[in-house]
Amino acid sequence: MNRPVQSGLRLVGDVGGTNVRFALADTSGAAPRISDAESYRCADFPGLEAAIEHYLSMMNTRGPRPHAAVVAVAGPVDNGVAVLTNGRWRMSNTGLQAAGFSAARLINDYTALALAVRRLGPDDLGALGDADSPAEGKTIALVGAGTGLGVAAAVRADGVEVIATAEGGHIGFAPVDETEVEILRALNGVFGRVSLERILSGPGLVSLRWALGRIAGQEVEPITPEEVVARAMSGQDPLCAQTLDRFCAIYGSAAGDMALVYGALGGVYLGGGIAPRILAWLRKSEFRARFEAKGRFAGYLAPIATKVIVHPYAALLGAADAALPLKSAVPAT
């Protein structure tokens, strides 16, 4: 059944390695508004288009069909084509257009998250440390552990903002003490090169626990990332607690490195699904101390705010922001 289209309505999506999220975005005003957000498991669908059709069928009775779409993807986007770094879906602008959208655009998920920061309020953010007032008009950096590790920046200068999206999650892990040297050695035997994402991600939590167990001479059974966090927070599993402590410390080091790389005087924002779940643990951990522990540049980092994005659909807000200038062949009604 065909539905009428609405010129100011967009479909926005956020495709991760595990979950895909959709919402409807009203772009008729100065600031986009999203509604009807839903989340599904990627494994339940053969591809993006099938997931979109399922979502739109659920929205069938709620109004007109959107004629344009912006979808954020956890992987590089090259000439309108993207493949999930930690998944099987292959997506393209032309594939979305063939699915019925007269205008469609894929963007990197951390491009979307960088765009979203300007739309976030105090209730959408959780502060880490005492540096709680980001410098206005200054560059911000984003780093986020989830199924993988995302990195981006909103580079700001002279009133102009440019989003710089990178694959910074795949830079090499740099240990800072003897334990981390041993972690690197253990994981090197498994993966060869050890990137930050091999540790700062859901699968990375599992690998980190295994490495710490091996260093201690323990045989550890495989468990899920969710179980690592739950066992740590229960206070019943010292190895999981040690794993989460070390994860937060390495996260702080990585976030501080990104602040240095981008000159992020406007703040560093943690995205991804892990940080909101462990916010209280991050606050009591060495995250902030490791963020600032950069030798001669400790004073440079000390005033830089670090915040966790707790808004559940922040990337959808950013995709909606990216949808504002999107044009299509459908005339305004």
Side-chain angles (χ1 to χ4, degrees):
M1 177 179 178
N2 293 327
R3 288 182 290 155
V5 298
Q6 180 177 316
S7 62
L9 192 68
R10 308 286 191 263
L11 173 79
V12 290
D14 173 25
V15 184
T18 303
N19 298 307
V20 56
R21 300 169 180 86
F22 298 114
L24 299 177
D26 180 356
T27 61
S28 59
R33 294 175 296 153
I34 65 169
S35 63
D36 300 297
E38 298 287 347
S39 180
Y40 309 104
R41 288 183 58 81
C42 293
D44 292 338
F45 301 93
L48 175 60
E49 291 79 11
I52 288 173
E53 286 309 310
H54 175 78
Y55 171 75
L56 290 178
S57 71
M58 300 298 291
M59 298 296 112
N60 187 55
T61 61
R62 303 190 191 183
R65 178 187 176 96
H67 66 80
V70 174
V71 178
V73 177
V77 179
D78 183 18
N79 292 321
V81 177
V83 179
L84 287 174
T85 301
N86 295 293
R88 298 181 178 180
W89 286 5
R90 184 183 187 278
M91 297 151 283
S92 67
N93 293 350
T94 55
L96 289 172
Q97 291 165 353
F101 295 99
S102 54
R105 180 183 176 194
L106 296 177
I107 62 174
N108 180 268
D109 59 339
Y110 270 72
T111 297
L113 208 58
L115 289 169
V117 169
R118 72 185 78 168
R119 307 293 182 189
L120 300 177
D123 292 341
D124 300 320
L125 300 166
L128 299 175
D130 296 329
D132 195 33
S133 300
E136 293 295 328
K138 299 296 185 179
T139 293
I140 65 169
L142 299 99
V143 56
T147 303
L149 182 66
V151 172
V155 180
R156 297 168 176 171
D158 300 323
V160 177
E161 178 180 276
V162 177
I163 306 302
T165 304
E167 291 300 320
H170 301 284
I171 65 175
F173 165 54
V176 302
D177 60 21
E178 289 302 318
T179 297
E180 290 178 12
V181 169
E182 290 301 317
I183 290 169
L184 176 60
R185 183 174 289 116
L187 294 181
N188 181 259
V190 177
F191 300 114
R193 180 178 182 273
V194 180
S195 68
L196 274 177
E197 184 175 280
R198 293 296 190 187
I199 295 171
L200 296 179
S201 63
L205 269 170
V206 176
S207 296
L208 182 58
R209 174 178 173 271
W210 171 83
L212 289 169
R214 176 168 177 168
I215 292 166
Q218 301 177 27
E219 290 291 333
V220 297
E221 80 284 5
I223 60 176
T224 66
E226 293 78 12
E227 288 173 313
V228 175
V229 172
R231 290 188 188 187
M233 291 184 171
S234 73
Q236 303 296 312
D237 190 320
L239 180 59
C240 286
Q242 183 188 0
T243 299
L244 202 54
D245 282 340
R246 185 62 63 169
F247 179 91
C248 292
I250 294 170
Y251 210 164
S253 285
D257 287 344
M258 298 307 167
L260 291 174
V261 166
Y262 289 112
L265 299 179
V268 176
Y269 292 78
L270 303 191
I274 295 177
R277 296 175 187 171
I278 63 169
L279 178 56
W281 200 287
L282 277 164
R283 283 173 168 157
K284 70 178 185 180
S285 75
E286 292 186 11
F287 175 93
R288 185 68 203 192
R290 288 279 291 265
F291 177 85
E292 296 180 21
K294 301 298 180 185
R296 292 174 295 164
F297 274 77
Y300 178 89
L301 289 159
I304 296 178
T306 47
K307 295 178 178 290
V308 174
I309 297 172
V310 298
H311 191 296
Y313 298 112
L316 293 179
L317 280 176
D321 198 282
L324 284 174
L326 198 64
K327 305 297 182 183
S328 77
V330 177
T333 57

